[in-house]
Coordinates of all heavy atoms in Angstrom, one line a residue:
K912 N -33.3 66.0 28.6 CA -34.7 66.2 28.9 C -35.2 65.0 29.6 O -36.0 65.2 30.6 CB -35.5 66.5 27.6 CG -36.9 66.8 27.9 CD -37.6 67.2 26.6 CE -39.1 67.5 27.0 NZ -39.9 67.9 25.9
Q913 N -34.9 63.8 29.2 CA -35.4 62.6 29.8 C -35.0 62.5 31.3 O -35.8 62.2 32.1 CB -35.0 61.4 29.0 CG -35.6 60.1 29.5 CD -35.2 58.9 28.7 OE1 -34.2 58.9 28.0 NE2 -36.0 57.8 28.8
W914 N -33.7 62.8 31.5 CA -33.2 62.8 32.9 C -34.0 63.8 33.8 O -34.4 63.5 34.9 CB -31.7 63.1 33.0 CG -31.3 63.5 34.3 CD1 -30.7 64.6 34.7 CD2 -31.4 62.7 35.6 NE1 -30.5 64.7 36.1 CE2 -30.9 63.5 36.6 CE3 -31.9 61.5 35.8 CZ2 -30.8 63.1 37.9 CZ3 -31.8 61.0 37.2 CH2 -31.3 61.8 38.2
Y915 N -34.3 65.0 33.2 CA -35.0 66.0 34.0 C -36.4 65.5 34.3 O -36.8 65.7 35.4 CB -35.1 67.3 33.2 CG -35.9 68.3 33.9 CD1 -35.4 69.0 35.0 CD2 -37.2 68.6 33.5 CE1 -36.2 70.0 35.6 CE2 -38.0 69.5 34.1 CZ -37.5 70.2 35.2 OH -38.3 71.1 35.9
Q916 N -37.1 64.9 33.3 CA -38.4 64.3 33.6 C -38.4 63.3 34.7 O -39.2 63.2 35.5 CB -39.0 63.8 32.3 CG -39.4 64.9 31.3 CD -39.8 64.3 30.0 OE1 -39.5 63.2 29.6 NE2 -40.5 65.1 29.2
R917 N -37.4 62.4 34.6 CA -37.2 61.4 35.6 C -37.0 62.0 37.0 O -37.5 61.6 38.0 CB -36.1 60.4 35.3 CG -36.6 59.2 34.6 CD -35.5 58.1 34.6 NE -35.3 57.8 33.2 CZ -34.2 57.4 32.7 NH1 -33.2 57.3 33.4 NH2 -34.1 57.1 31.4
R918 N -36.1 63.0 37.0 CA -35.8 63.7 38.2 C -37.0 64.3 38.9 O -37.2 64.1 40.1 CB -34.7 64.7 38.0 CG -34.3 65.4 39.2 CD -33.2 66.5 38.9 NE -32.9 67.1 40.1 CZ -31.8 67.9 40.3 NH1 -31.0 68.1 39.3 NH2 -31.6 68.5 41.4
V919 N -37.8 65.0 38.1 CA -39.0 65.6 38.6 C -40.0 64.5 39.1 O -40.5 64.6 40.2 CB -39.7 66.4 37.5 CG1 -41.1 66.9 38.0 CG2 -38.9 67.7 37.2
T920 N -40.1 63.4 38.4 CA -41.0 62.3 38.8 C -40.5 61.7 40.1 O -41.3 61.4 41.0 CB -41.1 61.2 37.7 OG1 -41.5 61.8 36.5 CG2 -42.0 60.1 38.1
I921 N -39.2 61.5 40.2 CA -38.6 60.9 41.4 C -38.8 61.8 42.6 O -39.0 61.4 43.7 CB -37.1 60.5 41.2 CG1 -37.0 59.4 40.2 CG2 -36.5 60.2 42.5 CD1 -35.6 59.1 39.8
T922 N -38.6 63.1 42.4 CA -38.5 64.0 43.6 C -39.8 64.6 44.0 O -39.9 65.2 45.1 CB -37.6 65.2 43.3 OG1 -38.1 65.9 42.1 CG2 -36.2 64.7 43.0
A923 N -40.9 64.3 43.3 CA -42.2 64.9 43.7 C -43.3 63.9 43.7 O -43.6 63.4 42.7 CB -42.6 66.1 42.8
G924 N -43.8 63.5 44.9 CA -44.9 62.5 45.0 C -46.0 63.1 45.7 O -45.9 63.9 46.7
I925 N -47.2 62.9 45.3 CA -48.5 63.4 45.9 C -49.3 62.2 46.3 O -49.6 61.3 45.5 CB -49.3 64.3 45.0 CG1 -48.4 65.5 44.5 CG2 -50.6 64.7 45.6 CD1 -49.1 66.3 43.5
L926 N -49.6 62.1 47.6 CA -50.4 61.0 48.1 C -51.9 61.4 48.0 O -52.3 62.5 48.2 CB -50.1 60.8 49.6 CG -48.6 60.4 49.9 CD1 -48.4 60.2 51.4 CD2 -48.2 59.2 49.1
S927 N -52.7 60.3 47.7 CA -54.1 60.5 47.6 C -54.8 59.2 47.9 O -54.2 58.1 47.8 CB -54.6 61.0 46.2 OG -54.4 60.0 45.2
G928 N -56.0 59.3 48.5 CA -56.8 58.1 48.8 C -56.7 57.8 50.3 O -55.9 58.4 51.1
G929 N -57.7 57.1 50.7 CA -57.9 56.8 52.2 C -56.7 56.1 52.9 O -56.4 56.4 54.0
N930 N -56.1 55.2 52.2 CA -55.0 54.5 52.9 C -53.8 55.4 53.2 O -52.9 55.0 54.0 CB -54.5 53.3 52.1 CG -55.5 52.1 52.1 OD1 -56.3 52.1 53.0 ND2 -55.5 51.3 51.1
T931 N -53.7 56.5 52.5 CA -52.6 57.4 52.8 C -52.8 58.2 54.1 O -51.9 58.9 54.5 CB -52.4 58.4 51.6 OG1 -53.5 59.3 51.5 CG2 -52.2 57.7 50.3
K932 N -53.9 58.0 54.7 CA -54.1 58.7 56.0 C -53.5 57.9 57.2 O -53.6 58.3 58.3 CB -55.7 58.8 56.2 CG -56.4 59.7 55.2 CD -56.0 61.1 55.3 CE -56.9 61.8 56.3 NZ -56.7 63.2 56.4
I933 N -52.9 56.8 56.9 CA -52.2 56.0 58.0 C -51.2 56.9 58.6 O -50.4 57.5 58.0 CB -51.6 54.7 57.4 CG1 -52.6 53.8 56.8 CG2 -50.7 54.0 58.4 CD1 -52.1 52.7 56.0
N934 N -51.2 56.9 60.0 CA -50.3 57.7 60.7 C -48.9 57.5 60.3 O -48.4 56.3 60.3 CB -50.5 57.5 62.2 CG -51.7 58.1 62.8 OD1 -52.2 59.1 62.2 ND2 -52.2 57.6 63.9
G935 N -48.2 58.6 60.0 CA -46.8 58.5 59.7 C -46.4 58.1 58.3 O -45.2 58.0 58.0
L936 N -47.4 57.7 57.5 CA -47.1 57.2 56.1 C -46.3 58.2 55.3 O -45.3 57.8 54.7 CB -48.4 56.8 55.4 CG -48.1 56.3 54.0 CD1 -47.4 54.9 54.0 CD2 -49.4 56.1 53.2
P937 N -46.7 59.5 55.2 CA -45.9 60.4 54.4 C -44.4 60.4 54.8 O -43.5 60.4 53.9 CB -46.6 61.8 54.6 CG -47.9 61.4 55.0 CD -47.8 60.1 55.8
E938 N -44.1 60.5 56.1 CA -42.7 60.5 56.6 C -42.0 59.2 56.3 O -40.8 59.3 55.8 CB -42.7 60.8 58.1 CG -43.3 62.2 58.5 CD -44.8 62.3 58.5 OE1 -45.5 61.2 58.5 OE2 -45.3 63.4 58.4
K939 N -42.7 58.1 56.5 CA -42.0 56.8 56.2 C -41.7 56.7 54.7 O -40.6 56.2 54.3 CB -42.9 55.7 56.7 CG -43.0 55.5 58.2 CD -44.0 54.4 58.5 CE -44.2 54.4 60.0 NZ -45.2 53.4 60.5
L940 N -42.7 57.1 53.9 CA -42.4 57.0 52.4 C -41.3 57.9 52.0 O -40.4 57.5 51.2 CB -43.7 57.4 51.7 CG -43.7 57.3 50.2 CD1 -43.3 55.9 49.7 CD2 -45.0 57.7 49.6
R941 N -41.3 59.2 52.5 CA -40.2 60.1 52.2 C -38.8 59.5 52.6 O -37.9 59.5 51.8 CB -40.4 61.5 52.8 CG -39.4 62.5 52.4 CD -39.6 63.9 53.1 NE -41.0 64.3 53.1 CZ -41.7 64.3 54.2 NH1 -41.2 63.9 55.4 NH2 -43.0 64.8 54.2
N942 N -38.8 59.0 53.8 CA -37.5 58.4 54.3 C -37.1 57.2 53.5 O -35.9 57.1 53.1 CB -37.7 58.0 55.8 CG -37.8 59.2 56.7 OD1 -37.4 60.3 56.4 ND2 -38.4 58.9 57.9
R943 N -38.0 56.4 53.1 CA -37.7 55.2 52.3 C -37.2 55.6 50.9 O -36.2 55.1 50.4 CB -38.9 54.3 52.2 CG -38.6 53.0 51.5 CD -37.7 52.1 52.3 NE -37.6 50.8 51.6 CZ -36.4 50.3 51.3 NH1 -35.3 50.8 51.6 NH2 -36.4 49.1 50.6
L944 N -37.9 56.6 50.3 CA -37.5 57.1 49.0 C -36.1 57.7 49.1 O -35.3 57.6 48.2 CB -38.5 58.1 48.4 CG -39.8 57.4 47.9 CD1 -40.8 58.5 47.6 CD2 -39.5 56.5 46.7
D945 N -35.8 58.5 50.1 CA -34.5 59.1 50.3 C -33.5 58.0 50.4 O -32.4 58.1 49.8 CB -34.5 59.9 51.6 CG -34.9 61.3 51.5 OD1 -34.8 61.8 50.3 OD2 -35.3 61.9 52.5
E946 N -33.8 56.9 51.1 CA -32.8 55.8 51.2 C -32.6 55.1 49.9 O -31.4 54.9 49.5 CB -33.5 54.8 52.2 CG -32.6 53.6 52.6 CD -33.4 52.7 53.5 OE1 -33.9 53.2 54.5 OE2 -33.4 51.5 53.2
I947 N -33.6 54.9 49.1 CA -33.5 54.2 47.8 C -32.8 55.1 46.8 O -31.9 54.7 46.1 CB -34.8 53.7 47.4 CG1 -35.3 52.6 48.3 CG2 -34.7 53.1 45.9 CD1 -36.8 52.2 48.0
V948 N -33.4 56.2 46.6 CA -33.0 57.2 45.5 C -31.6 57.8 45.9 O -30.8 58.0 45.0 CB -34.1 58.2 45.2 CG1 -33.6 59.2 44.2 CG2 -35.3 57.6 44.8
G949 N -31.4 58.1 47.1 CA -30.2 58.8 47.6 C -29.0 58.0 47.3 O -27.9 58.5 47.1
K950 N -29.1 56.6 47.2 CA -27.9 55.8 46.9 C -27.5 56.0 45.5 O -26.3 56.0 45.2 CB -28.3 54.3 47.1 CG -28.4 53.9 48.5 CD -28.8 52.5 48.6 CE -29.0 52.1 50.1 NZ -29.4 50.7 50.2
R951 N -28.4 56.3 44.6 CA -28.0 56.5 43.1 C -27.9 57.9 42.7 O -27.1 58.2 41.9 CB -29.2 55.9 42.3 CG -29.3 54.4 42.4 CD -30.3 53.9 41.4 NE -29.6 53.4 40.3 CZ -30.1 53.0 39.2 NH1 -31.4 53.0 39.1 NH2 -29.4 52.6 38.1
H952 N -28.6 58.8 43.3 CA -28.7 60.2 42.9 C -28.5 61.1 44.1 O -29.5 61.5 44.7 CB -30.0 60.5 42.2 CG -30.3 59.6 41.1 ND1 -29.6 59.6 39.9 CD2 -31.2 58.6 41.0 CE1 -30.1 58.6 39.1 NE2 -31.1 58.0 39.8
K953 N -27.2 61.4 44.5 CA -26.9 62.2 45.6 C -27.5 63.6 45.4 O -27.4 64.2 44.3 CB -25.4 62.3 45.8 CG -24.8 60.9 46.0 CD -25.1 60.4 47.4 CE -24.3 59.1 47.6 NZ -24.9 58.1 48.4
G954 N -28.0 64.2 46.4 CA -28.4 65.6 46.4 C -29.8 65.9 45.9 O -30.3 67.0 45.9
L955 N -30.6 64.8 45.6 CA -32.0 65.0 45.2 C -32.8 65.3 46.4 O -32.7 64.6 47.4 CB -32.5 63.8 44.4 CG -32.1 63.6 43.0 CD1 -32.8 62.4 42.4 CD2 -32.4 64.8 42.2
N956 N -33.7 66.3 46.4 CA -34.6 66.6 47.5 C -35.9 65.9 47.2 O -36.7 66.3 46.4 CB -34.7 68.1 47.6 CG -35.6 68.5 48.8 OD1 -35.7 67.7 49.7 ND2 -36.1 69.7 48.7
I957 N -36.2 64.9 48.0 CA -37.5 64.1 47.8 C -38.6 64.9 48.5 O -38.4 65.2 49.7 CB -37.3 62.7 48.4 CG1 -36.2 61.9 47.7 CG2 -38.6 61.9 48.2 CD1 -36.3 61.6 46.3
K958 N -39.7 65.1 47.8 CA -40.8 65.8 48.4 C -42.0 64.8 48.3 O -42.3 64.3 47.3 CB -41.2 67.0 47.7 CG -40.2 68.2 47.9 CD -40.7 69.4 47.2 CE -39.6 70.0 46.5 NZ -39.9 71.1 45.5
V959 N -42.7 64.6 49.4 CA -43.9 63.8 49.5 C -45.0 64.7 50.0 O -44.9 65.2 51.2 CB -43.8 62.5 50.4 CG1 -45.1 61.8 50.5 CG2 -42.7 61.6 49.8
V960 N -45.9 65.1 49.2 CA -47.0 66.0 49.5 C -48.2 65.2 50.0 O -48.6 64.3 49.3 CB -47.3 66.9 48.3 CG1 -48.5 67.9 48.7 CG2 -46.1 67.6 47.8
A961 N -48.7 65.5 51.1 CA -49.8 64.8 51.7 C -50.9 65.8 52.1 O -51.0 66.2 53.2 CB -49.4 64.0 52.9
P962 N -51.7 66.3 51.1 CA -52.7 67.3 51.4 C -53.7 66.8 52.3 O -54.1 65.6 52.3 CB -53.3 67.7 50.0 CG -52.9 66.6 49.1 CD -51.7 65.9 49.7
P963 N -54.3 67.7 53.2 CA -55.3 67.2 54.1 C -56.5 66.6 53.5 O -57.2 65.7 54.0 CB -55.6 68.4 54.9 CG -54.8 69.6 54.4 CD -54.0 69.1 53.3
E964 N -56.9 67.1 52.3 CA -58.1 66.6 51.6 C -57.8 65.3 50.7 O -58.6 64.9 49.9 CB -58.7 67.7 50.7 CG -57.9 68.1 49.5 CD -56.7 69.0 49.8 OE1 -56.5 69.5 50.9 OE2 -56.0 69.4 48.8
R965 N -56.6 64.7 50.9 CA -56.3 63.6 50.1 C -57.2 62.4 50.2 O -57.3 61.6 49.3 CB -54.8 63.1 50.4 CG -54.6 62.5 51.8 CD -53.1 62.3 52.0 NE -52.8 61.7 53.2 CZ -52.5 62.4 54.3 NH1 -52.6 63.7 54.3 NH2 -52.2 61.8 55.5
L966 N -58.0 62.3 51.2 CA -59.0 61.2 51.3 C -60.0 61.3 50.2 O -60.4 60.3 49.7 CB -59.7 61.4 52.7 CG -60.9 60.4 52.9 CD1 -60.4 59.0 53.0 CD2 -61.6 60.7 54.2
Y967 N -60.3 62.5 49.7 CA -61.3 62.8 48.7 C -60.7 63.0 47.3 O -61.4 63.2 46.3 CB -62.2 63.9 49.1 CG -62.8 63.7 50.4 CD1 -62.3 64.5 51.5 CD2 -63.8 62.8 50.6 CE1 -62.9 64.3 52.8 CE2 -64.3 62.6 51.9 CZ -63.9 63.3 53.0 OH -64.4 63.1 54.2
S968 N -59.3 63.1 47.2 CA -58.7 63.4 46.0 C -59.1 62.5 44.8 O -59.3 63.0 43.7 CB -57.2 63.4 46.1 OG -56.8 64.4 47.0
P969 N -59.2 61.1 45.0 CA -59.6 60.3 43.9 C -61.0 60.6 43.4 O -61.2 60.6 42.2 CB -59.5 58.9 44.4 CG -58.5 59.0 45.6 CD -58.7 60.3 46.1
W970 N -61.9 61.0 44.3 CA -63.2 61.3 43.9 C -63.3 62.7 43.2 O -64.0 62.8 42.2 CB -64.2 61.4 45.1 CG -64.5 60.0 45.6 CD1 -63.9 59.4 46.7 CD2 -65.3 59.0 45.1 NE1 -64.4 58.2 46.9 CE2 -65.3 57.9 45.9 CE3 -66.2 59.0 44.0 CZ2 -66.0 56.8 45.7 CZ3 -67.0 57.9 43.8 CH2 -66.9 56.8 44.6
I971 N -62.5 63.6 43.7 CA -62.4 64.9 43.0 C -61.8 64.8 41.6 O -62.4 65.3 40.7 CB -61.6 65.9 43.9 CG1 -62.3 66.2 45.2 CG2 -61.3 67.2 43.1 CD1 -61.4 66.9 46.2
G972 N -60.8 64.0 41.5 CA -60.2 63.8 40.2 C -61.1 63.1 39.2 O -61.2 63.5 38.0
G973 N -61.8 62.1 39.7 CA -62.8 61.4 38.9 C -63.9 62.3 38.4 O -64.4 62.2 37.3
S974 N -64.3 63.2 39.3 CA -65.4 64.1 39.0 C -64.9 65.1 37.9 O -65.6 65.4 36.9 CB -65.8 64.9 40.2 OG -66.7 65.9 39.9
I975 N -63.7 65.6 38.0 CA -63.1 66.5 37.0 C -63.0 65.8 35.6 O -63.5 66.3 34.6 CB -61.8 67.0 37.4 CG1 -62.0 68.0 38.6 CG2 -61.1 67.8 36.3 CD1 -60.7 68.3 39.4
I976 N -62.4 64.6 35.6 CA -62.3 63.8 34.4 C -63.7 63.5 33.8 O -63.9 63.7 32.6 CB -61.6 62.5 34.6 CG1 -60.2 62.7 35.2 CG2 -61.6 61.6 33.4 CD1 -59.1 62.6 34.2
G977 N -64.6 63.1 34.6 CA -66.0 62.8 34.1 C -66.7 64.0 33.5 O -67.6 63.8 32.7
S978 N -66.3 65.2 33.9 CA -67.0 66.4 33.4 C -66.3 66.9 32.1 O -66.9 67.8 31.5 CB -67.0 67.5 34.4 OG -65.7 67.9 34.7
L979 N -65.2 66.4 31.7 CA -64.6 66.8 30.5 C -65.3 66.3 29.2 O -65.8 65.2 29.2 CB -63.1 66.3 30.4 CG -62.2 66.8 31.5 CD1 -60.8 66.1 31.4 CD2 -62.0 68.3 31.4
S980 N -65.3 67.2 28.2 CA -66.1 66.8 27.0 C -65.5 65.6 26.3 O -66.2 64.8 25.7 CB -66.1 68.0 26.0 OG -64.8 68.3 25.6
C981 N -64.2 65.4 26.4 CA -63.5 64.2 25.8 C -63.9 62.9 26.5 O -63.7 61.8 25.9 CB -62.0 64.3 25.8 SG -61.3 64.4 27.4
F982 N -64.5 63.0 27.7 CA -64.9 61.8 28.4 C -66.4 61.4 28.1 O -66.8 60.3 28.4 CB -64.7 62.0 29.9 CG -64.8 60.7 30.7 CD1 -63.8 59.8 30.7 CD2 -66.0 60.5 31.4 CE1 -63.9 58.6 31.4 CE2 -66.1 59.3 32.2 CZ -65.1 58.4 32.2
M983 N -67.2 62.4 27.6 CA -68.6 62.1 27.3 C -68.7 60.9 26.4 O -68.0 60.8 25.4 CB -69.2 63.4 26.7 CG -69.2 64.6 27.6 SD -70.0 64.3 29.1 CE -69.4 65.7 30.1
G984 N -69.7 60.1 26.7 CA -70.0 58.9 25.8 C -69.1 57.7 26.2 O -69.2 56.7 25.6
K985 N -68.2 57.9 27.2 CA -67.4 56.8 27.6 C -67.8 56.2 28.9 O -67.2 55.3 29.4 CB -65.9 57.2 27.6 CG -65.4 57.6 26.3 CD -63.9 57.9 26.4 CE -63.4 58.3 25.0 NZ -62.0 58.4 24.9
D986 N -69.0 56.7 29.4 CA -69.5 56.1 30.6 C -70.0 54.7 30.4 O -70.3 54.3 29.3 CB -70.6 57.0 31.2 CG -71.7 57.3 30.2 OD1 -71.4 57.3 29.0 OD2 -72.8 57.5 30.6
L987 N -70.0 53.9 31.4 CA -70.3 52.5 31.3 C -71.3 52.2 32.5 O -71.0 52.4 33.6 CB -69.0 51.7 31.5 CG -69.1 50.2 31.2 CD1 -69.3 50.0 29.7 CD2 -67.7 49.6 31.6
S988 N -72.4 51.6 32.1 CA -73.4 51.2 33.2 C -73.0 49.9 33.8 O -72.2 49.1 33.2 CB -74.8 51.1 32.6 OG -74.9 50.0 31.7
R989 N -73.5 49.6 35.0 CA -73.3 48.4 35.6 C -73.8 47.2 34.8 O -73.1 46.2 34.7 CB -74.0 48.4 37.0 CG -73.9 47.0 37.7 CD -74.6 47.1 39.0 NE -73.6 47.6 40.0 CZ -73.8 47.6 41.2 NH1 -74.9 47.1 41.8 NH2 -72.8 48.0 42.0
E990 N -74.9 47.4 34.2 CA -75.5 46.3 33.3 C -74.6 46.0 32.2 O -74.4 44.8 31.8 CB -76.9 46.7 32.8 CG -77.9 46.8 33.9 CD -77.9 48.1 34.7 OE1 -77.3 49.1 34.3 OE2 -78.4 48.1 35.9
M991 N -74.0 47.0 31.5 CA -73.1 46.8 30.4 C -71.9 46.0 30.9 O -71.4 45.1 30.2 CB -72.7 48.1 29.8 CG -73.8 48.8 29.0 SD -73.4 50.5 28.5 CE -72.1 50.2 27.3
Y992 N -71.3 46.4 32.1 CA -70.2 45.7 32.6 C -70.5 44.3 32.9 O -69.7 43.4 32.6 CB -69.6 46.5 33.8 CG -68.3 45.8 34.3 CD1 -67.1 46.1 33.7 CD2 -68.3 44.9 35.3 CE1 -65.9 45.4 34.1 CE2 -67.2 44.2 35.8 CZ -66.0 44.5 35.1 OH -64.8 43.9 35.5
Q993 N -71.6 44.1 33.6 CA -72.0 42.7 33.9 C -72.2 41.8 32.7 O -71.9 40.6 32.7 CB -73.2 42.7 34.8 CG -72.9 43.2 36.2 CD -74.2 43.4 37.1 OE1 -75.3 43.5 36.6 NE2 -73.9 43.4 38.4
E994 N -72.7 42.4 31.7 CA -73.0 41.7 30.4 C -71.7 41.3 29.7 O -71.5 40.2 29.2 CB -73.9 42.5 29.5 CG -74.3 41.8 28.2 CD -75.2 42.6 27.4 OE1 -76.0 43.4 27.9 OE2 -75.0 42.5 26.1
C995 N -70.7 42.3 29.6 CA -69.5 42.1 28.8 C -68.3 41.9 29.6 O -67.2 41.5 29.0 CB -69.4 43.2 27.8 SG -70.8 43.5 26.8
G996 N -68.3 42.2 30.9 CA -67.1 42.1 31.7 C -66.0 43.2 31.4 O -66.4 44.2 30.8
P997 N -64.7 42.9 31.7 CA -63.7 43.9 31.5 C -63.5 44.4 30.0 O -63.1 45.4 29.7 CB -62.4 43.2 32.0 CG -62.9 42.2 32.9 CD -64.3 41.8 32.4
K998 N -64.0 43.5 29.1 CA -63.9 43.8 27.7 C -64.7 45.1 27.4 O -64.4 45.9 26.5 CB -64.5 42.6 26.9 CG -64.6 42.8 25.4 CD -65.2 41.6 24.8 CE -65.9 41.9 23.5 NZ -66.6 40.8 22.9
A999 N -65.8 45.3 28.1 CA -66.6 46.5 27.9 C -65.8 47.8 28.2 O -66.0 48.8 27.4 CB -67.8 46.5 28.9
I1000 N -64.9 47.8 29.2 CA -64.1 49.0 29.4 C -63.2 49.2 28.3 O -63.1 50.4 27.8 CB -63.3 48.8 30.7 CG1 -64.3 48.7 31.9 CG2 -62.4 50.0 30.9 CD1 -63.7 48.2 33.2
H1001 N -62.5 48.2 27.8 CA -61.6 48.4 26.7 C -62.4 48.9 25.4 O -61.9 49.8 24.8 CB -60.9 47.0 26.4 CG -60.0 47.1 25.2 ND1 -58.7 47.7 25.4 CD2 -60.1 46.7 23.9 CE1 -58.1 47.6 24.2 NE2 -58.9 47.1 23.3
E1002 N -63.5 48.3 25.1 CA -64.2 48.7 23.9 C -64.8 50.0 24.0 O -64.9 50.8 23.1 CB -65.3 47.6 23.6 CG -64.7 46.3 23.1 CD -65.7 45.3 22.8 OE1 -66.9 45.5 23.0 OE2 -65.3 44.2 22.3
R1003 N -65.2 50.4 25.2 CA -65.9 51.7 25.4 C -64.9 52.8 25.5 O -65.1 53.9 25.0 CB -66.8 51.6 26.6 CG -67.7 52.8 26.8 CD -68.8 52.8 25.8 NE -69.8 53.8 26.1 CZ -71.1 53.7 25.9 NH1 -71.5 52.6 25.3 NH2 -71.9 54.6 26.2
C1004 N -63.8 52.6 26.2 CA -62.9 53.7 26.6 C -61.6 53.7 25.8 O -61.1 54.8 25.5 CB -62.6 53.7 28.1 SG -64.1 53.8 29.1
I1005 N -61.1 52.6 25.5 CA -59.8 52.5 24.9 C -59.9 52.5 23.4 O -59.1 53.1 22.7 CB -58.9 51.3 25.4 CG1 -58.7 51.5 26.9 CG2 -57.6 51.2 24.7 CD1 -58.2 50.3 27.6
N1006 N -60.8 51.7 22.9 CA -61.0 51.6 21.4 C -62.4 51.9 21.1 O -63.2 51.1 20.8 CB -60.6 50.2 21.0 CG -60.5 50.0 19.5 OD1 -60.6 51.1 18.8 ND2 -60.3 48.9 19.0
P1007 N -62.8 53.2 21.1 CA -64.2 53.6 21.0 C -64.8 53.3 19.6 O -65.9 53.3 19.4 CB -64.2 55.1 21.2 CG -62.8 55.5 21.2 CD -61.9 54.3 21.4
A1008 N -63.9 53.0 18.6 CA -64.4 52.7 17.3 C -65.2 51.4 17.3 O -66.2 51.2 16.5 CB -63.3 52.5 16.3
D1009 N -64.9 50.5 18.3 CA -65.7 49.3 18.4 C -66.6 49.4 19.6 O -66.9 48.4 20.3 CB -64.7 48.1 18.7 CG -63.7 47.9 17.6 OD1 -64.1 48.2 16.4 OD2 -62.6 47.4 17.8
S1010 N -67.0 50.6 19.9 CA -67.8 50.8 21.1 C -69.1 50.0 21.2 O -69.8 49.7 20.2 CB -68.2 52.3 21.2 OG -69.0 52.6 22.3
I1011 N -69.4 49.6 22.4 CA -70.6 48.8 22.7 C -71.7 49.9 22.8 O -71.6 50.9 23.4 CB -70.5 48.1 24.1 CG1 -69.4 47.1 24.1 CG2 -71.8 47.5 24.5 CD1 -69.0 46.6 25.5
Q1012 N -72.8 49.6 22.1 CA -73.9 50.5 22.1 C -74.7 50.4 23.4 O -75.0 49.4 23.9 CB -74.8 50.3 20.9 CG -74.1 50.4 19.5 CD -73.5 51.8 19.3 OE1 -74.2 52.8 19.6 NE2 -72.3 51.8 18.9
S1013 N -75.1 51.6 23.9 CA -75.9 51.6 25.2 C -77.3 51.4 24.9 O -77.8 51.6 23.8 CB -75.6 52.8 25.9 OG -75.6 54.0 25.2

């Protein structure tokens, strides 16, 4: 099972974000992965998916995550971050038992 999970992870990549819009990046990445992975695992078909809306994918994903009920109450204001720094993220999101009160 572990090999299958690794195989799926190695063979399927989805690009997202603005920098992935660089001309030729999907093809270059696919070729490089073929070169690296192909040496160890012959016959794997590397897929690099570059959807046209990938520029907005991080925002879409963040919007979906932010609308989930399990995410409610984990939002962090700029003021809270400026007051406590990175510790605020840990306390608010990772260890909510010690949550900073808003």
Side-chain angles (χ1 to χ4, degrees):
K912 182 176 179 177
Q913 187 179 20
W914 162 242
Y915 175 76
Q916 289 172 338
R917 263 194 237 151
R918 180 179 178 167
V919 170
T920 303
I921 290 171
T922 59
I925 301 174
L926 299 180
S927 68
N930 288 338
T931 66
K932 299 289 274 185
I933 295 170
N934 284 336
L936 180 67
E938 296 78 19
K939 288 178 187 177
L940 182 59
R941 185 181 317 105
N942 292 339
R943 184 70 175 127
L944 287 172
D945 272 336
E946 184 181 307
I947 294 168
V948 175
K950 290 179 182 178
R951 295 185 95 186
H952 308 288
K953 304 285 185 212
L955 284 183
N956 183 22
I957 305 294
K958 291 183 221 168
V959 175
V960 180
E964 69 279 0
R965 67 186 180 271
L966 177 64
Y967 306 106
S968 296
W970 288 101
I971 294 167
S974 175
I975 292 168
I976 297 262
S978 67
L979 297 174
S980 62
C981 62
F982 192 76
M983 299 301 166
K985 295 186 180 189
D986 53 331
L987 189 68
S988 70
R989 173 180 274 191
E990 291 79 21
M991 291 170 68
Y992 184 82
Q993 288 174 337
E994 183 180 323
C995 301
K998 176 181 154 190
I1000 296 169
H1001 180 77
E1002 290 180 357
R1003 187 71 169 215
C1004 300
I1005 299 171
N1006 192 4
D1009 300 332
S1010 180
I1011 298 169
Q1012 300 300 316
S1013 44

